[in-house]
Amino acid sequence: MTASGLGQAPVDGRVGAALDRGDFSAAVALLREAEQQRPLTPEELDLLGRSAYGAGQFEAAITAWEQQSAACHSLGDEVAAAAAATTVAMFLMMDTGLMAPVRGWLARAERLLGDRPESPTHALLAMTHTYERFMCGDADASARWAEQAIDLGGRHDVPLAAALGRVATARLMILDGAVEPGLALLDEAAVSVVSGELDALGAGMVYCELICAMQGLAQYDRAEQWTEAMERWRVGHAYGGLIGRCRVHRAEILRLRGACSAAADEALEACRELRPWMRREFGWPLTELGAIRLRTGDLVGAETALLEALAHGWDPQPWLALLRLAQGRVGVAAAMIADALEHPCAVPSKEWPPLGALRRAPLLAAQAEICIAAGDVEAARTATGQLSGIAETYRSRALSAAAALARGRLLLAERDAEAAVGECEEAVTGWSDVGAPYEAAVAQLVLADAERLLGRVARAELHEQAARATAARIGAPLAGGHPTRAPSSPTPSECVFRRDGDVRTVAFAGRTVVVRDLKGMRYLARLLAEPDREFHVLDLVGGETGERARPGGDLGPVLDGQARAAYRRRLAEIDDDLAEAEALGDDTRLALAQADRDYLLRELAGAFGLGGRVRVAGSASERARASVSRSLRYAVCRIAEHHPALADHLVRTVRTGTYCCYVPDPRIPTSWEL
């Protein structure tokens, strides 16, 4: 690096030190200060791009690399200009999923390189082409580019290109059914991370790819291992949006493990971190948040999150269809899931399998459940058969357990209860081995139904009690099943929820316990005091704090000014891609580019309110809703440790959402002493 320019060397040194310690905001501030005095050099513009990316200023990072490419071109350094253009393409691809602008920047890089000899830039170009094709579902072209990325990355000492080329090749092999060779190649790619040959940004990208591959295959034990490794790595190292992605991966694992409250916290924080960072992929943490809320019985909150994900161009299936099933809208759920399978969403993403059977597996599992509920046994049989075939090919413990449960449900619907018991027992064991308590409890509830059909009532009761106890422990109510015995009818004196200092005396169904008082307990007391009354969450929060929570406040603009300007630039780039696709007669590319254009226009329209005023995101109601729901779930979980029967009663009767309510079973006369 040259030392031309006022104070360049000291600035470079201080910026490098700030980047080494992960202080990205300080690095940005140093470079902005220098920029006030003189134009930044191409090297400094690259540092600004990396620093801004680390600080979560995505559009500033892209702008810096765009300026770097232009500066290098003006100096006659076409190879460096191409490298910067490739960097723009790579991060637009990873962080926006807008493929039309990506293709434009890749074409610019290729024009700048011309017929120059191979260089490290060619390796980066091959790596970016690999993922552009992978995310668009073009497996053959992606495999060819990945082979080039591995070769060029190895020969020109670009370890990131070689590592990501191997990861892409491995993921393609797995998607094609070559699971064991693919996993072996993933292990080989992982060496680049643990050996320290990648910088922090590259390491984060490879970590993310490894976790995506494992979760797409439903290899949750490996996914969890890599997530834990990424958790250790990210402290002081993770760059910008990578932090938010880490959180979504962690939320998925926590949900699977039954830690619903912690999963919701991670998903909400991921939404906060990724909201200003990327737009279309913002639907990913929203979908995970909707899945968690659905699991905990917060149907209103789940619908809010899933519909918002849909509005951002993301596909929230199968969770949206499962939500409709939970709402009792079985016909709508069946139509939704059938449409999702017949018309796969073409949203480019590296976070889920972009093609093949693994993309269909969770949809098929949901369809099998929904069609049984709808009485469409033939459709359920087809879905179950396809899911069983996928499980046989990929041999994931979780996929095998999901397929066994689907077969158990189908056999039960066909009244073959003895065979259903065997399949359900396999599902319970499988999900237990995976470490998924909710899924195991669901399977145990179906097992109870099969045992009951065989007349083995005592065994059915034991299975159902165990399933509901597990669900109460993790704060995730179970639908379905049968009451194992007529619930006791407690007299008013037996229903006590009285606060005595820092504890509560709780009596229900003939049993009295003492539990520690919590914020959620106080919310419960207000609900129990007035059965069937709907309390707005702001009223509950206000009653706790002594103040009426104000509905104002926001999380800032839906799109900031820099993002809006960048989106307009990208619209022009998309128009260029549309024109080229039309000239080539490439209908697939044309459809993808048009989808990008429609999405950006919706985003820009949504960023402005009446009179052109900038819209803001978030609200006090939403924050209160999340807080109250979380506090209520935690309180019920603590009650379950001491009084499972009361916890089960509360899971069935307390409704959460923007409005909360206690709706007691009319068959059980309850009058609470508070």
Side-chain angles (χ1 to χ4, degrees):
M1 184 178 297
T2 65
S4 61
L6 178 63
Q8 180 182 331
V11 169
D12 287 352
R14 285 181 289 159
V15 169
L19 286 175
D20 287 342
R21 64 176 183 269
D23 192 349
F24 304 115
S25 296
V28 171
L30 286 167
L31 289 162
R32 292 300 188 197
E33 182 181 350
E35 192 177 32
Q36 295 298 315
Q37 303 174 40
R38 58 173 173 79
L40 297 181
T41 66
E43 293 85 354
E44 289 170 333
L45 286 167
D46 181 53
L47 286 173
L48 179 58
R50 295 172 68 85
S51 303
Y53 192 83
Q57 302 172 22
F58 176 70
E59 298 300 347
I62 293 296
T63 299
W65 285 315
E66 288 176 348
Q67 292 172 344
Q68 182 195 14
S69 181
C72 290
H73 178 58
S74 68
L75 293 172
D77 190 347
E78 305 290 47
V79 174
T86 303
T87 301
V88 172
M90 179 171 64
F91 285 100
L92 282 176
M93 176 178 63
M94 296 293 188
D95 293 296
T96 71
L98 299 171
M99 294 295 110
V102 169
R103 285 189 290 269
W105 280 97
L106 287 174
R108 185 176 306 184
E110 289 171 334
R111 286 195 300 271
L112 288 165
L113 285 173
D115 57 359
R116 289 176 173 79
E118 287 180 358
S119 68
T121 301
H122 288 82
L124 292 174
L125 190 65
M127 178 191 77
T128 309
H129 270 301
T130 297
Y131 274 88
E132 186 271 328
R133 290 291 83 201
F134 179 83
M135 291 168 64
C136 289
D138 187 348
D140 292 339
S142 179
R144 291 193 298 271
W145 280 112
E147 185 178 359
Q148 289 190 41
I150 296 168
D151 175 51
L152 292 168
R155 289 194 288 110
H156 293 282
D157 193 25
V158 186
L160 178 61
L164 286 178
R166 289 189 183 94
V167 172
T169 300
R171 292 187 71 179
L172 288 166
M173 291 171 68
I174 290 169
L175 289 171
D176 198 40
V179 178
E180 292 305 321
L183 290 174
L185 189 56
L186 278 178
D187 289 339
E188 183 181 337
V191 171
S192 62
V193 177
V194 298
S195 66
E197 65 182 67
L198 298 174
D199 64 9
L201 186 52
M205 294 169 69
V206 174
Y207 267 124
C208 195
E209 285 301 297
L210 289 168
I211 297 167
C212 290
M214 291 300 97
Q215 289 188 302
L217 185 56
Q219 292 271 3
Y220 294 116
D221 52 347
R222 291 195 186 201
E224 186 170 28
Q225 291 167 11
W226 281 111
T227 300
E228 290 172 353
M230 194 174 193
E231 285 290 303
R232 294 190 295 272
W233 162 84
R234 77 175 185 173
V235 178
H237 293 96
Y239 269 69
L242 291 176
I243 301 174
R245 289 195 182 102
C246 293
R247 290 190 185 280
V248 187
H249 285 307
R250 181 160 175 74
E252 291 171 340
I253 294 296
L254 287 168
R255 169 171 54 82
L256 183 78
R257 296 295 180 237
C260 296
S261 179
D265 289 343
E266 288 286 355
L268 283 166
E269 190 64 16
C271 288
R272 186 190 67 79
E273 289 176 353
L274 295 180
R275 183 184 293 277
W277 187 261
M278 61 188 75
R279 302 309 301 169
R280 175 176 279 166
E281 205 169 54
F282 180 52
W284 178 37
L286 282 168
T287 297
E288 179 56 31
L289 180 61
I292 296 164
R293 289 174 173 174
L294 175 59
R295 177 148 301 179
T296 57
D298 181 2
L299 303 189
V300 174
E303 181 159 30
T304 298
L306 294 172
L307 291 181
E308 188 174 352
L310 187 65
H312 278 86
W314 196 257
D315 183 7
Q317 299 294 5
W319 298 107
L320 187 56
L322 291 172
L323 170 66
R324 295 294 180 243
L325 177 64
Q327 293 170 329
R329 300 168 64 183
V330 181
V332 173
M336 271 189 174
I337 201 68
D339 183 71
L341 282 159
E342 188 175 350
H343 304 101
C345 180
V347 174
S349 171
K350 64 182 184 59
E351 309 299 350
W352 55 14
L355 47 95
L358 285 176
R359 179 75 171 269
R360 293 173 58 82
L363 300 174
L364 289 167
Q367 186 178 44
E369 177 182 359
I370 291 167
C371 287
I372 290 296
D376 190 348
V377 176
E378 189 58 40
R381 184 180 297 112
T382 300
T384 299
Q386 292 179 13
L387 180 61
S388 296
I390 293 169
E392 178 66 26
T393 297
Y394 293 98
R395 299 189 178 278
S396 153
R397 197 76 175 102
L399 287 175
S400 296
L405 179 58
R407 292 193 296 271
R409 283 188 166 118
L410 178 63
L411 288 164
L412 187 60
E414 294 173 335
R415 314 297 288 180
D416 188 349
E418 195 67 57
V421 165
E423 295 290 355
C424 290
E425 287 177 339
E426 181 182 338
V428 172
T429 301
W431 282 122
S432 297
D433 289 346
V434 169
Y438 179 82
E439 284 76 6
V442 169
Q444 199 164 23
L445 201 62
V446 181
L447 174 59
D449 288 341
E451 294 282 15
R452 187 174 286 106
L453 188 59
L454 289 169
R456 301 195 286 244
V457 177
R459 293 176 67 173
E461 288 184 357
L462 287 174
H463 285 305
E464 183 162 345
Q465 287 170 0
R468 294 201 182 280
T470 296
R473 174 175 57 81
I474 64 176
L478 287 172
H482 301 267
T484 57
R485 58 177 59 86
S488 60
S489 300
T491 64
S493 62
E494 290 179 309
C495 298
V496 178
F497 202 73
R498 184 178 61 245
R499 182 178 179 182
D500 301 304
D502 293 334
V503 298
R504 281 190 182 270
T505 300
V506 176
F508 181 80
R511 182 182 179 189
T512 301
V513 298
V514 176
V515 297
R516 184 167 64 89
D517 193 42
L518 301 164
K519 182 192 296 184
M521 302 286 188
R522 297 189 285 277
Y523 293 153
L524 278 173
R526 292 197 68 191
L527 299 179
L528 295 175
E530 299 184 62
D532 298 312
R533 175 186 167 184
E534 290 189 335
F535 287 84
H536 194 284
V537 288
L538 290 175
D539 292 328
L540 292 175
V541 171
E544 176 66 19
T545 62
E547 300 178 355
R548 178 67 165 87
R550 293 181 302 167
D554 62 76
L555 300 177
V558 174
L559 289 176
D560 62 23
Q562 190 172 39
R564 291 194 296 273
Y567 272 34
R568 291 189 178 99
R569 291 201 309 274
R570 286 175 203 151
L571 276 173
E573 294 166 352
I574 290 171
D575 286 342
D576 291 341
D577 193 62
L578 281 167
E580 187 172 340
E582 287 179 345
L584 294 172
D586 189 336
D587 292 339
T588 300
R589 179 174 168 181
L590 189 67
L592 288 172
Q594 187 60 55
D596 283 352
R597 189 176 192 280
D598 293 344
Y599 168 74
L600 278 181
L601 288 173
R602 287 197 305 272
E603 285 291 297
L604 284 168
F608 295 94
L610 294 174
R613 290 189 295 273
V614 175
R615 293 188 188 275
V616 295
S619 70
S621 292
E622 171 59 18
R623 292 191 291 275
R625 189 205 62 75
S627 175
V628 168
S629 296
R630 185 165 56 248
S631 296
L632 286 169
R633 287 195 301 271
Y634 184 74
V636 172
C637 287
R638 298 291 72 79
I639 291 170
E641 295 174 358
H642 304 279
H643 202 317
L646 175 57
D648 184 63
H649 173 75
L650 293 173
V651 164
R652 295 169 182 265
T653 57
V654 173
R655 308 287 186 263
T656 60
T658 303
Y659 289 88
C660 299
C661 186
Y662 169 59
V663 185
D665 189 330
R667 298 169 300 174
I668 307 175
T670 51
S671 178
W672 290 92
E673 177 188 337
L674 302 165

